[in-house]
Amino acid sequence: MIFNTDECMDRQARMKIQLAALKNLTETVYSKVPYYREKIKAAGIAPRDIHSITDIEKLPFTTKDDLRENYPHGLRACPQDRIVEVHMSTGTTGKPVVNEYTEKDLNIWRQSMARTLAGAGCTCDDIVQNCYGYGLFTGGAGVHYGSLAIGAEVLPMSSGLTERQLMIMRDFGSTMLTCTPSYALYLAEEAVEAGIDLRALPINKGCFGAEAWSESMREEIEDRYNMKAYDIYGLTEIIGPGVAFECEAQNGLHVNEDFFYPEIIDPQTGKALKAGEKGELVFTTLTREGTPMLRYRTRDITYIMEEPCTCGRTTRRIHRLFGRTDDMLIIRGVNVFPSQIEQALIEIEGTEPQYLIIVSRGESHLDEIELQVEVKKELFSDETRGLENLRTRIETVMRSKLQISVKVKLVEPKTITRPQAGKVQRVIDNRKI
Ligand code: DLL
């Protein structure tokens, strides 16, 4: 299976299906979920006002605060006895975000994850080493279900226990790796220590996501494993992984839009933006039963790509993520995204794709950024002038690209902590604001 017919259907035909599903969803949440009913009423509309797919813009948004307010079951749209599985994302503050799945919801997840893995070329011949965390996090379960749907062999490793991961990878001949991109690089570094040549192993492709990663990280992973690395995107609130994925063209991520309807809005005004215009990504789960989401604001920044893809799928794509609206640091009034810093670093020869941004408020009450950057080992054995030149170069590039001063500290390889489970932390904000 490379892709299925639903992914290649005529766009007009798909829009008709999406409209019917949206009407049905609006009716359901209006009648079953008091919170949604009140919000829809407050917006001055009723389910009968949905006549075209663009009428979705009349519906109210749902935010993470709405989910927290309704913790744990307030947004459930079906009786408890129809729920068969629950996942949550904990985040760093506040109550967890809860997603409750019916059997039909799991079916949607299996299909979207099968499409996701197939997008990267996974077939029943593959041995999938799944190092996303199993448990409440959606990564482990999502890849597991998708692998089973394809008929691949899945190794349910979960994250951590790196030595054992490498031993299994070698002894079982895993052909596909699924984990966060930062963990893939961590594994690769540990493989060097353990004297394992990853490039000589059968592993030849991987699906990476759950956190931001740059093209240079992709190159590094591809090079270290001699594999093709694909970007996959999703979030707990909508289904987990399986919302959007790269195909072999690797030109944007195909959205499983028969299940998850995407919109892009201006994060300030909430107004809908056109294809090609960058803004906040919003999803409506057209066919979910357990905890359906109406116009959920993801805070992820990207744009929609409507041009046809060379792979033959007709689903619209999103560009790889540019960051999150809530990632944005405001440093002395200037908006800075960690992804901009990473992008600037990529262009500087001699740096490794490992960095840490530490923000603090100095004695003068002004915000300061220290950027710790790992540099190639050879540079440390060189005379110090090389290091000093590199440090000033990075500071100059940062000043010209970000319009702020950044204090750069060069550190030896492997100084910056790698997550052995969960997502990488790129920013430490000590400002207490
Ligand atoms: O991270 C689901 C997932 C698991 C996706 C495995 C891919 C692979 P959450 O923990 O709820 O769910 O976090 C969702 O992570 O809103 C994005 O900000 C970020 N994210 C997910 N995938 C990507 C990606 C899972 N490919 C949040 N690139 C999302 C950049 C990503 N950021």
Side-chain angles (χ1 to χ4, degrees):
M1 177 173 70
I2 301 299
F3 45 59
N4 72 16
T5 46
D6 288 347
E7 295 179 86
C8 305
M9 80 165 52
D10 173 68
R11 280 196 178 166
Q12 293 299 324
R14 183 182 294 118
M15 269 166 73
K16 279 194 188 147
I17 296 172
Q18 287 170 324
L19 174 60
L22 178 65
K23 285 182 177 176
N24 188 39
L25 172 79
T26 317
E27 294 278 0
T28 306
V29 296
Y30 194 83
S31 61
K32 304 263 168 67
V33 186
Y35 192 80
Y36 275 131
R37 181 163 55 244
E38 291 316 312
K39 281 191 89 165
I40 293 173
K41 274 190 187 163
I45 59 159
R48 63 173 174 278
D49 295 324
I50 303 293
H51 304 294
S52 71
I53 196 73
T54 48
D55 284 340
I56 196 169
E57 290 166 26
K58 298 177 182 163
L59 291 167
F61 293 117
T62 306
T63 64
K64 200 166 239 162
D65 287 342
D66 294 324
L67 266 68
R68 296 219 158 107
E69 207 176 303
N70 285 284
Y71 172 87
H73 301 304
L75 295 180
R76 192 160 72 200
C78 69
Q80 187 278 329
D81 64 359
R82 299 209 36 230
I83 300 298
V84 295
E85 188 161 327
V86 176
H87 285 276
M88 290 178 214
S89 79
T90 41
T92 45
T93 51
K95 293 193 183 121
V97 160
V98 179
N99 188 348
E100 304 184 64
Y101 304 70
T102 64
E103 184 53 38
K104 184 183 163 202
D105 293 335
L106 284 190
N107 221 341
I108 291 168
W109 203 10
R110 274 179 214 121
Q111 284 184 60
S112 32
M113 275 312 295
R115 292 179 189 177
T116 298
L117 298 175
C122 177
T123 70
C124 59
D125 294 327
D126 276 296
I127 301 173
V128 181
Q129 181 152 350
N130 184 16
C131 320
Y132 284 116
Y134 279 66
L136 286 175
F137 178 55
T138 52
V143 169
H144 195 97
Y145 289 144
S147 305
L148 294 187
I150 287 180
E153 177 181 332
V154 60
L155 302 170
M157 303 298 297
S158 205
S159 48
L161 299 176
T162 307
E163 257 176 58
R164 197 173 61 179
Q165 300 275 9
L166 291 168
M167 183 183 85
I168 301 276
M169 188 181 287
R170 184 191 58 203
D171 297 348
F172 283 71
S174 310
T175 55
M176 183 165 193
L177 178 64
T178 55
C179 59
T180 57
S182 54
Y183 190 62
L185 281 180
Y186 177 74
L187 265 181
E189 284 171 350
E190 293 303 300
V192 175
E193 298 285 302
I196 294 175
D197 180 7
L198 291 175
R199 294 179 57 88
L201 298 184
I203 198 126
N204 59 47
K205 54 187 160 300
C207 283
F208 306 103
E211 64 188 15
W213 59 305
S214 59
E215 282 302 323
S216 81
M217 275 179 86
R218 186 194 322 251
E219 276 166 29
E220 179 98 14
I221 294 172
E222 293 190 333
D223 182 53
R224 288 191 176 235
Y225 288 84
N226 190 22
M227 66 152 62
K228 206 138 169 57
Y230 294 84
D231 193 359
I232 65 171
Y233 167 82
L235 60 165
T236 314
E237 296 86 323
I238 301 304
I239 197 89
V243 175
F245 61 93
E246 279 184 337
C247 64
E248 75 267 15
Q250 295 195 316
N251 179 17
L253 286 77
H254 287 274
V255 178
N256 281 313
E257 60 166 320
D258 41 351
F259 304 134
F260 317 116
Y261 187 82
E263 294 172 82
I264 298 286
I265 59 158
D266 177 326
Q268 255 82 48
T269 63
K271 286 263 168 293
L273 297 178
K274 293 202 223 38
E277 290 179 340
K278 213 195 259 187
E280 181 179 346
L281 183 58
V282 170
F283 278 110
T284 299
T285 58
L286 294 175
T287 49
R288 291 284 318 273
E289 292 182 329
T291 41
M293 285 291 124
L294 213 55
R295 303 194 81 202
Y296 182 70
R297 292 185 62 158
T298 65
R299 304 187 187 179
D300 290 320
I301 301 168
T302 182
Y303 60 80
I304 291 184
M305 303 164 70
E306 280 190 339
E307 321 77 69
C309 183
T310 48
C311 74
R313 291 173 183 82
T314 54
T315 42
R316 287 177 296 164
R317 287 162 289 154
I318 50 172
H319 189 278
R320 294 189 78 194
L321 263 54
F322 293 101
R324 289 176 56 82
T325 54
D326 53 4
D327 256 2
M328 193 176 74
L329 296 164
I330 305 180
I331 308 292
R332 303 186 187 190
V334 180
N335 297 347
V336 182
F337 288 97
S339 54
Q340 281 178 298
I341 295 186
E342 177 160 336
Q343 212 52 46
L345 267 182
I346 294 167
E347 292 163 27
I348 303 172
E349 182 68 20
T351 60
E352 299 271 344
Q354 293 291 352
Y355 64 93
L356 183 66
I357 301 163
I358 303 170
V359 190
S360 55
R361 189 148 281 179
E363 279 174 13
S364 54
H365 303 290
L366 288 175
D367 297 336
E368 286 167 4
I369 291 190
E370 177 179 285
L371 175 64
Q372 297 191 357
V373 185
E374 286 189 8
V375 296
K376 301 219 179 319
K377 214 176 180 163
E378 305 83 81
L379 270 172
F380 274 94
S381 45
D382 268 10
E383 46 176 334
T384 49
R385 190 139 39 87
L387 273 179
E388 188 49 28
N389 284 348
L390 181 60
R391 201 179 62 75
T392 23
R393 223 172 84 246
I394 299 177
E395 290 187 346
T396 315
V397 171
M398 293 297 156
R399 199 171 315 113
S400 78
K401 298 230 169 190
L402 312 174
Q403 270 86 52
I404 50 161
S405 308
V406 168
K407 206 169 111 217
V408 172
K409 183 172 172 196
L410 301 180
V411 296
E412 295 202 37
K414 296 174 104 179
T415 313
I416 294 169
T417 319
R418 275 70 161 149
Q420 297 206 25
K423 307 187 185 205
V424 70
Q425 190 186 13
R426 297 285 190 206
V427 182
I428 297 176
D429 196 338
N430 292 327
R431 286 179 297 176
K432 318 246 177 320
I433 46 175

